[in-house]
Structures are given as C-alpha cells and as structure tokens.
C-alpha cells in the first residue's frame, strides 16, 4: 500500500509542479509540487525497505545415505521468516 501512495504523491507533485500554469497568491505551486514529490519518494523508499525486511527465506539442504539400500537422499527445507 505504501508503494502505491508514494507513487501517487510523486505523480500528483509532478502534475502540480509541471502541468499547472496558474498562480495562487497564498501558495507557491512549484514548491508544493516538489514537497509532494519528495514525500512520495520517502514513502516509496520506506515501503521498499519494509518489503525487503519482511520477506526473508532460509533454505536448508541435507544429504544422507541409507546404509541398508545404499542410496543417497537429499532433503530441502524452506522456511519463510516473517520478522516484525
């Protein structure tokens, strides 16, 4: 969700900064657009950091030999840790 909000803020800030050609006496639209784009960029970076931190996988492979049948067995376990 944070990625979508961040991209929306970047797009809204770009529209306010570059596409609107009128002046308001009480606000500078260029500055407001740059602030929106910066806030969107910060939200996207935080969102990516949270996604990377949340998804952590551990893969463990074990091999063993059955002494009776003389066969090699390989077992692979995957554990997805969801860290808070």
């Amino acid at each position: 969700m944070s990625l979508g909000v961040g991209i929306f803020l970047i797009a809204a800030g770009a529209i306010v900064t570059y596409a609107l050609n009128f002046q308001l006496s009480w606000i500078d639209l260029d500055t407001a657009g740059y602030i929106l784009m910066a806030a969107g960029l910060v939200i996207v970076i935080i969102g990516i950091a949270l996604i990377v931190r949340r998804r952590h996988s551990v893969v463990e492979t074990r091999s063993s030999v059955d002494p009776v049948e003389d066969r090699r067995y390989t077992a692979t376990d995957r554990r997805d840790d969801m860290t808070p």
Side-chain angles (χ1 to χ4, degrees):
M1 175 156 164
S2 62
L3 291 177
V5 172
I7 291 171
F8 174 77
L9 285 177
I10 292 171
I15 289 170
V16 168
T17 301
Y18 301 116
L20 298 180
N21 292 326
F22 59 89
Q23 300 281 332
L24 296 175
S25 62
W26 54 277
I27 190 169
D28 183 14
L29 290 179
D30 289 342
T31 303
Y34 288 129
I35 291 171
L36 286 173
M37 286 189 284
L41 182 63
V42 168
I43 290 174
V44 166
I45 291 171
I46 290 172
I48 290 172
L50 289 175
I51 288 171
V52 168
R53 184 176 151 224
R54 188 178 316 146
R55 295 184 182 165
H56 177 73
S57 297
V58 176
V59 178
E60 181 179 336
T61 304
R62 294 183 309 272
S63 296
S64 62
V65 177
D66 185 6
V68 176
E69 296 181 12
D70 198 28
R71 286 189 180 175
R72 179 177 295 269
Y73 292 99
T74 303
T76 302
D77 295 328
R78 180 180 176 144
R79 187 178 75 229
D80 293 328
D81 292 333
M82 300 298 280
T83 57

